[in-house]
């Protein structure tokens, strides 16, 4: 790519915009754990990572097949068994959102 076919103003704006987002909105996020990220997510993150501030990079934690990082930061009672925890929590969106299951609905035929 030559400088003749690239828009320097757009590139400068992108860097300034990214810096602004990190400076003003990064403090809203304490830490984010990404569990079981697929290839596409990891590839996208590898492209974006060089443009992120070091403080923001430290907040994004990729958790692989070993859940040591989760166990170090969360009580085992808060983690599901598939994440090496002992919680018996089961999420039920029907109960949470007061939805009717298909089996609960009466057939009008």
């Amino acid at each position: 790519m030559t400088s003749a076919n690239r828009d320097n103003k757009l590139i400068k704006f992108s860097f300034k915009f990214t810096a602004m987002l990190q400076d003003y909105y990064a403090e809203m996020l304490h830490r984010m754990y990404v569990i079981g990220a697929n290839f596409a997510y990891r590839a996208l993150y590898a492209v974006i990572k060089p443009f992120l501030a070091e403080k923001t990079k430290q907040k994004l934690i990729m958790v692989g097949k070993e859940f040591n990082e989760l166990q170090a930061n969360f009580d085992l009672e808060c983690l599901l068994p598939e994440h090496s925890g002992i919680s018996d929590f089961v999420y039920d969106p029907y109960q949470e959102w007061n939805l009717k299951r298909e089996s609960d609905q009466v057939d009008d035929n």
Side-chain angles (χ1 to χ4, degrees):
M1 178 183 287
T2 66
S3 60
N5 64 358
R6 136 182 90 161
D7 187 357
N8 287 331
K9 290 180 184 178
L10 180 62
I11 292 172
K12 288 178 184 176
F13 170 77
S14 298
F15 280 110
K16 286 182 182 180
F17 184 72
T18 303
M20 181 194 71
L21 286 175
Q22 292 181 77
D23 291 343
Y24 294 106
Y25 297 105
E27 295 306 316
M28 293 179 163
L29 177 69
H30 175 69
R31 193 170 293 138
M32 183 171 90
Y33 294 90
V34 180
I35 301 172
N38 62 16
F39 174 77
Y41 183 89
R42 289 183 185 274
L44 180 64
Y45 183 68
V47 170
I48 294 172
K49 189 175 179 179
F51 301 104
L52 297 175
E54 191 60 37
K55 192 173 187 179
T56 304
K57 288 181 202 177
Q58 292 173 353
K59 292 181 178 190
L60 299 173
I61 300 168
M62 299 275 201
V63 178
K65 295 181 181 188
E66 306 238 349
F67 299 106
N68 298 335
E69 184 73 30
L70 289 176
Q71 292 173 346
N73 291 292
F74 295 95
D75 292 333
L76 292 179
E77 293 84 18
C78 296
L79 296 173
L80 296 173
E82 57 261 29
H83 302 133
S84 300
I86 58 173
S87 173
D88 59 353
F89 175 77
V90 176
Y91 177 68
D92 184 6
Y94 293 98
Q95 181 180 0
E96 171 129 1
W97 298 100
N98 296 322
L99 301 172
K100 292 188 178 189
R101 300 177 193 271
E102 288 181 21
S103 61
D104 294 342
Q105 296 176 354
V106 178
D107 190 34
D108 291 334
N109 291 335

